[in-house]
Amino acid sequence: MVRYALKCLAAGLTLALCSMSLTSPALAQPEVDLALVIAVDISYSMDTDEQALQREGFAQAFRSPLVHDAIRNGLNGRIAVTYMEWAGSGDQQVIIPWTILDNLEGLLAFAEKISSTPLRRAQRTSISSAIDFGAKLFGQSNVKAARQVIDVSGDGPNNQGRSVTEARDEANAKGIIINGLPLMLRQPGYLDIPNLDAYYKECVIGGPGSFMIPVRDRDQFPQAIKTKILLEVANITPPEIVKLQRIQDTPRPGCFAGELQWRERWNN
């Protein structure tokens, strides 16, 4: 009888411990103020100098005391970030997996990983595939985020994969915000469009408070990236003048401009 009682007691304790472990806060997803996918264009239209400048711009952003303060002043005082690179529809790679940033050491280590990763280039430009890939990454973040943002930077229109507007709208329907950093550092080439900022505004960015910051000057590049990251972390929408700078008088671009250029170029 005593042995039976001891067995029951042991079983009860085991059940209680299992119940405690299942509800333990340690297993709960950490809450963050922002889950951010940084999606960086590495297509051949980006020369290696531009790629290096882009990389260093993001690294500098995460070294910035202003960004550190913005993270610390959030409701939870931490964000989760992953850094990916993209080109054509079959080429998306996570360079730095999801990382929770909540202290100086972590931020500086994240910046160093961005700086130290070797550069690479690849064919075609599929913004839609970058958005689709980025949207899936949120399911792997293992955090509970107040906001989910994909930060897309690139120097040309979508020319492969499905429609960029379909990808954007589908991501927006899931509550994902898409911001843009159109790179306009050179005179447009045969697969570029002159009003890339207008294209990003009409066809790429979307969601509550979404915005873009066009980059037209190499010297502006690091500051533009830092400003963009700071605004995203602090959940601030820039004034309308930033979003629409110099694009009011340009004609609206077609959201299939890149695809049409590619077909005309290669006659397919």
Side-chain angles (χ1 to χ4, degrees):
M1 188 70 176
V2 172
R3 184 178 297 176
Y4 177 77
L6 288 173
K7 284 184 178 180
C8 289
L9 179 61
L13 286 172
T14 300
L15 183 61
L17 288 171
C18 289
S19 177
M20 289 174 62
S21 66
L22 288 173
T23 59
S24 170
L27 296 180
Q29 290 183 323
E31 294 186 2
V32 298
D33 298 305
L34 168 69
L36 176 64
V37 174
I38 299 174
V40 177
D41 181 6
I42 59 159
S43 59
Y44 277 114
S45 57
M46 295 277 293
D47 63 39
T48 52
D49 287 343
E50 289 174 342
Q51 281 192 321
L53 194 62
Q54 182 174 221
R55 279 274 187 89
E56 189 53 33
F58 280 109
Q60 285 185 27
F62 287 100
R63 294 186 186 113
S64 168
L66 291 175
V67 172
H68 300 178
D69 289 343
I71 293 172
R72 187 166 50 247
N73 291 331
L75 184 63
N76 296 292
R78 56 181 174 264
I79 65 172
V81 187
T82 183
Y83 187 98
M84 62 161 281
E85 293 179 337
W86 60 273
S89 58
D91 196 327
Q92 305 88 34
Q93 291 188 17
V94 172
I95 304 303
I96 306 176
W98 284 108
T99 305
I100 293 179
L101 302 178
D102 58 3
N103 58 58
L104 178 60
E105 292 76 14
L107 284 154
L108 295 180
F110 190 85
E112 181 56 32
K113 287 179 183 177
I114 294 175
S115 294
S116 61
T117 302
L119 297 173
R120 74 180 186 94
R121 299 166 76 196
Q123 294 182 338
R124 304 291 294 266
T125 301
S126 183
I127 301 173
S128 57
S129 297
I131 292 172
D132 289 341
F133 186 83
K136 290 178 182 177
L137 288 178
F138 290 112
Q140 305 167 20
S141 66
N142 293 319
V143 298
K144 184 177 180 181
R147 289 176 293 123
Q148 295 180 331
V149 175
I150 300 175
D151 180 342
V152 180
S153 63
D155 72 340
N158 195 76
N159 63 34
Q160 192 178 42
R162 68 167 173 158
S163 161
V164 66
T165 54
E166 287 180 0
R168 176 200 61 193
D169 294 346
E170 191 172 299
N172 289 166
K174 297 175 182 176
I176 299 168
I177 298 166
I178 302 171
N179 294 330
L181 191 77
L183 310 178
M184 307 167 69
L185 303 178
R186 297 173 293 132
Q187 289 296 319
Y190 66 86
L191 287 177
D192 299 322
I193 56 176
N195 52 344
L196 187 64
D197 48 357
Y199 176 87
Y200 262 68
K201 178 181 179 291
E202 293 293 331
C203 311
V204 179
I205 69 171
S210 61
F211 67 93
M212 59 144 204
I213 299 180
V215 179
R216 299 182 176 84
D217 186 292
R218 290 171 97 74
D219 295 335
Q220 178 196 4
F221 210 158
Q223 184 59 45
I225 293 176
K226 183 166 68 175
T227 299
K228 190 164 184 294
I229 295 295
L230 179 61
L231 292 170
E232 286 166 340
V233 170
N235 194 20
I236 298 173
T237 302
E240 193 73 6
I241 189 66
V242 176
K243 291 193 288 185
L244 303 180
Q245 183 183 9
R246 287 183 55 188
I247 67 173
Q248 293 91 335
D249 299 327
T250 56
R252 281 189 171 188
C255 291
F256 287 95
E259 290 89 342
L260 291 172
Q261 280 183 335
W262 187 268
R263 288 171 192 162
E264 289 172 5
R265 173 72 180 177
W266 300 107
N267 194 27
N268 58 23

